[in-house]
Amino acid sequence: AIAVTGSVNQKGQIQPIGGVNEKIEGKYLKLYSDIFYNLLDNIYKNAKRKNNCIEFEYLLEEQENRQHILLKNPYDCSGDMEEEERKILELKEILSSRKYLDRIGTEGGTGIPKICKLISVDLKKEMKIDFGFEKDQNYFFIELFIRR
């Protein structure tokens, strides 16, 4: 696997800088823009700030006919995490049952449910999502695998 910096075409294929030779239809660009907006907005709302800056790590790669997106940001996991972990488990249950579609409607919603809707409904792509805490490293992570 190799991480890249570049663009995404209308088929959801990652194109490294220098390899872009297709125009992206606006409707696909908007959907991917919305996915990344929701990912980064979630980090912005929840990340610790150091010197008024938000720190996060990311990985974007093409892997076995699917896109891999991984975002991690520092999170203080030293305290009581019971409530946060309960929310994570509840959200994972809602996502696995697809009940999140009822919450979002056609246009509204933000965060992880909105990301799932954008990928599975709007882009009509198979996806796998995982998110939670890496307590030993004091990180929150969200990881997406999107089938091309």
Side-chain angles (χ1 to χ4, degrees):
I2 185 168
V4 298
T5 300
S7 67
V8 179
N9 70 15
Q10 65 265 28
K11 296 174 187 165
Q13 297 167 324
I14 294 176
Q15 300 171 303
I17 291 296
V20 179
N21 56 12
E22 298 179 42
K23 291 185 178 181
I24 299 172
E25 287 184 46
K27 65 181 179 179
Y28 294 109
L29 180 60
K30 174 73 171 111
L31 291 174
Y32 274 92
S33 170
D34 287 351
I35 291 166
F36 282 99
Y37 171 81
N38 279 279
L39 286 168
L40 295 172
D41 187 52
N42 204 22
I43 288 173
Y44 178 79
K45 289 176 183 175
N46 298 299
K48 289 191 317 184
R49 285 166 173 73
K50 185 187 273 185
N51 298 326
N52 207 26
C53 293
I54 295 173
E55 180 183 336
F56 69 95
E57 297 175 26
Y58 68 93
L59 174 69
L60 307 170
E61 63 184 348
E62 188 76 19
Q63 198 180 70
E64 299 176 18
N65 203 30
R66 60 186 182 174
Q67 296 163 335
H68 178 211
I69 302 168
L70 172 63
L71 293 167
K72 294 168 49 172
N73 64 287
Y75 195 93
D76 183 4
C77 299
S78 64
D80 182 11
M81 296 290 293
E82 191 173 317
E83 179 65 18
E84 287 95 337
E85 289 175 331
R86 185 192 61 74
K87 287 178 183 178
I88 296 285
L89 290 174
E90 182 180 296
L91 183 53
K92 285 181 177 184
E93 184 178 308
I94 289 168
L95 293 175
S96 69
S97 69
R98 297 184 59 90
K99 291 180 185 176
Y100 67 93
L101 294 172
D102 298 335
R103 288 184 171 188
I104 293 172
T106 56
E107 292 296 324
T110 61
I112 294 172
K114 177 69 173 190
I115 293 165
C116 292
K117 184 230 180 237
L118 288 166
I119 295 168
S120 63
V121 177
D122 298 345
L123 286 173
K124 296 174 180 52
K125 297 204 177 265
E126 289 180 39
M127 64 164 279
K128 179 183 169 198
I129 186 169
D130 192 18
F131 52 94
F133 300 100
E134 293 179 3
K135 290 182 187 178
D136 58 328
Q137 296 179 24
N138 281 319
Y139 274 96
F140 174 81
F141 75 93
I142 182 166
E143 185 168 37
L144 298 164
F145 291 95
I146 305 168
R147 180 86 44 210
R148 287 189 15 206

